[in-house]
Structure formats: C-alpha cells, structure tokens
C-alpha cells in the first residue's frame, strides 16, 4: 500500500476512478503550484493531465525542479497521449479509464524504478520505506519517529526480509563488535520498534528460541491480510 498525492484539475470529476478500488492512501489537492507549498509528503505524486495539458506539464516540471524523491505519474485521456514527451519529466503515464489491476501494477513499478534510480538510497518491503540518505522511515506512508539505533535496527531487518537473525547477530550487525551491552538491548529496541509501527507491529516477528525476522507480506492485500498475519506471528511468540 502506497501513499499517493493526487493533483486534481478544476473540473471536480474523479481523476482516476479505479484507484478508489485499491488499498492505497490517496490525498487529493488542487493541481496548482500554490497547493504544493503545504502538500503532504507521498511516495507517489499523480498529476491530472486530462484537460489542461499545458498546466499539467508546467506542474510536472516544477515538481522535478524541487528535487522531490517521489515517483511522478500523469493521468491523461487517449487524446492527450500525443502531447506527452520527455520534457514532462514524469516516471509513467496512466490512461484515465485504466482498470484497478493496471493502475496498481504501474504504481508498484514506478516505486520500484524510483528506488533503483542512481543516487537513490531507498529500501522498501511490506509497506516500510527506508531512506538511507535522510535517515527517515515510513510505514504505509506514515513517518516514524525513531532513534538512531531504532532506525538502524529497522533498516537492517527490512534489508533482509524473511531472514531470521539471532540476538547476537543483530547486536553485532547493528551495535558493532565493540558494544559491551547484552542481548537484552535487542529485545528492548524490538519492543520499542513494534510500538512505533502500531498496527503493523507484526512485521517484526519472533522465531521461538532463535531470534527475530522481518515478515514479507503481500502489499496489495496488506490491509485485508493484517489480522491473519498478526495471528500467525503471535503464534510464533
């Protein structure tokens, strides 16, 4: 599930109807430069280019000059496709009548490409996005207020999804060989991380008598599968 900022034109119609059938978190604001001043952060920005192509192109170029790290997409009608070119600077284009499966696939691919861009230091899995440059972490688009070690622990686990690590391994990888504290430190930080993950605390699972692992879930079905995932991981504790 991704956090999406939709920049909508002034015709008051729904920009991309099928996105309402998907679990993504969508915030819609007017497609105007002034609206960007206090726009919330998002993993994907979608610009409405169905009617005013010139304004949409200008908005895309403004977004690019700000150096934003979000994936940039535009929504057009079939008639508007002819006006698109590399000068727009978008990552992908979606036809306004595209179905939910296509829209979801394009969003996921755009996020993957954004993370793979040169200079991009992003790690993401199961709705958690780690920005190694800015030392920020988000879960389903919500920013997490983490201490340095909490961030480092979460970053390490997310970078190795599904792999089980003992407390000793985590202590060595995150705190370093010269750390003299005991493995109880790992337990304390895991407990704090789970509390800050909130409804997604089950992403950090306990493997009895071994250690911890970061769970991999189907992001498309994250909301519907969360209770089952929680129950499964709780059984391991």
């Amino acid at each position: 599930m991704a956090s999406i900022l939709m920049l909508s034109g002034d015709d008051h119609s729904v920009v991309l109807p099928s996105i309402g059938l998907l679990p993504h978190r969508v915030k819609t604001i007017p497609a105007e430069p002034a609206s960007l001043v206090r726009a919330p952060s998002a993993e994907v920005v979608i610009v409405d280019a169905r009617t005013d192509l010139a304004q949409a192109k200008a908005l895309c170029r403004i977004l690019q000059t700000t150096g934003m790290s979000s994936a940039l997409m535009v929504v057009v009608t079939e008639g508007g496709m002819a006006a698109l070119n590399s000068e727009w600077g978008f990552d992908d284009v979606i036809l306004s009548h595209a179905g939910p499966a296509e829209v979801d696939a394009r969003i996921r691919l755009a996020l993957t490409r954004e993370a793979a861009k040169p200079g991009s230091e992003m790690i993401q899995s199961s709705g958690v996005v780690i920005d190694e440059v800015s030392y920020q972490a988000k879960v389903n688009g919500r920013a997490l207020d983490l201490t340095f070690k909490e961030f480092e622990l979460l970053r390490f686990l997310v970078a190795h999804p599904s792999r089980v690590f003992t407390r000793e391994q985590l202590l060595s990888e995150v705190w370093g060989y010269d750390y003299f504290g005991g493995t109880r430190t790992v337990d304390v930080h895991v407990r704090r991380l789970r509390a800050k993950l909130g409804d997604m605390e089950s992403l950090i699972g306990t493997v009895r008598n071994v250690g911890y692992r970061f769970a991999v879930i189907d992001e498309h079905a994250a909301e519907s599968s969360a209770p089952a995932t929680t129950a499964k991981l709780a059984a391991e504790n």
Side-chain angles (χ1 to χ4, degrees):
M1 182 174 66
S3 58
I4 299 173
L5 180 64
M6 185 79 70
L7 303 183
S8 174
D10 59 2
D11 62 353
H12 304 295
S13 63
V14 178
V15 179
L16 197 59
S18 59
I19 203 169
L21 302 175
L22 300 171
H24 303 299
R25 299 170 60 231
V26 182
K27 172 70 174 179
T28 302
I29 64 174
E32 302 171 352
S35 300
L36 300 178
V37 177
R38 295 186 178 182
S41 60
E43 296 168 89
V44 180
V45 175
I46 299 179
V47 176
D48 180 6
R50 295 170 303 156
T51 55
D52 194 335
L53 290 165
Q55 181 187 34
K57 179 180 179 179
L59 197 57
C60 286
R61 299 188 69 172
I62 290 173
L63 288 167
Q64 286 298 320
T65 58
T66 63
M68 71 172 193
S69 59
S70 307
L72 179 60
M73 310 178 74
V74 296
V75 177
V76 297
T77 62
E78 288 189 14
M81 291 289 286
L84 303 179
N85 56 48
S86 60
E87 294 180 358
W88 287 60
F90 54 75
D91 296 296
D92 201 357
V93 58
I94 311 175
L95 289 174
S96 56
H97 62 260
E102 178 181 347
V103 171
D104 190 54
R106 289 186 178 278
I107 289 172
R108 287 186 285 107
L109 289 172
L111 287 171
T112 301
R113 287 194 295 268
E114 185 66 29
K117 284 182 178 179
S120 175
E121 299 293 342
M122 305 287 284
I123 304 173
Q124 55 186 359
S125 180
S126 302
V128 176
V129 179
I130 304 291
D131 187 336
E132 295 184 297
V133 174
S134 64
Y135 273 82
Q136 293 183 337
K138 295 181 179 180
V139 56
N140 292 335
R142 175 175 60 86
L144 299 175
D145 183 15
L146 305 178
T147 65
F148 177 73
K149 284 304 180 184
E150 289 169 354
F151 176 87
E152 288 294 308
L153 178 58
L154 182 61
R155 180 185 65 81
F156 182 78
L157 290 171
V158 174
H160 302 85
S162 297
R163 181 175 171 182
V164 180
F165 292 93
T166 65
R167 291 167 175 80
E168 290 77 11
Q169 287 175 316
L170 291 173
L171 201 62
S172 173
E173 293 289 345
V174 178
W175 280 264
Y177 288 104
D178 56 348
Y179 181 73
F180 294 103
T183 56
R184 179 62 180 167
T185 297
V186 177
D187 296 327
V188 171
H189 280 73
V190 166
R191 184 169 67 250
R192 291 174 179 170
L193 267 181
R194 283 173 171 164
K196 293 182 179 181
L197 286 169
D199 293 341
M200 302 298 286
E201 64 176 352
S202 58
L203 286 173
I204 301 180
T206 301
V207 180
R208 189 181 296 277
N209 297 324
V210 182
Y212 298 104
R213 66 178 173 86
F214 184 82
V216 176
I217 62 175
D218 180 358
E219 294 183 24
H220 178 70
E223 290 188 336
S224 60
S225 64
T229 305
T230 303
K232 178 181 178 181
L233 293 177
E236 296 175 348
N237 294 339

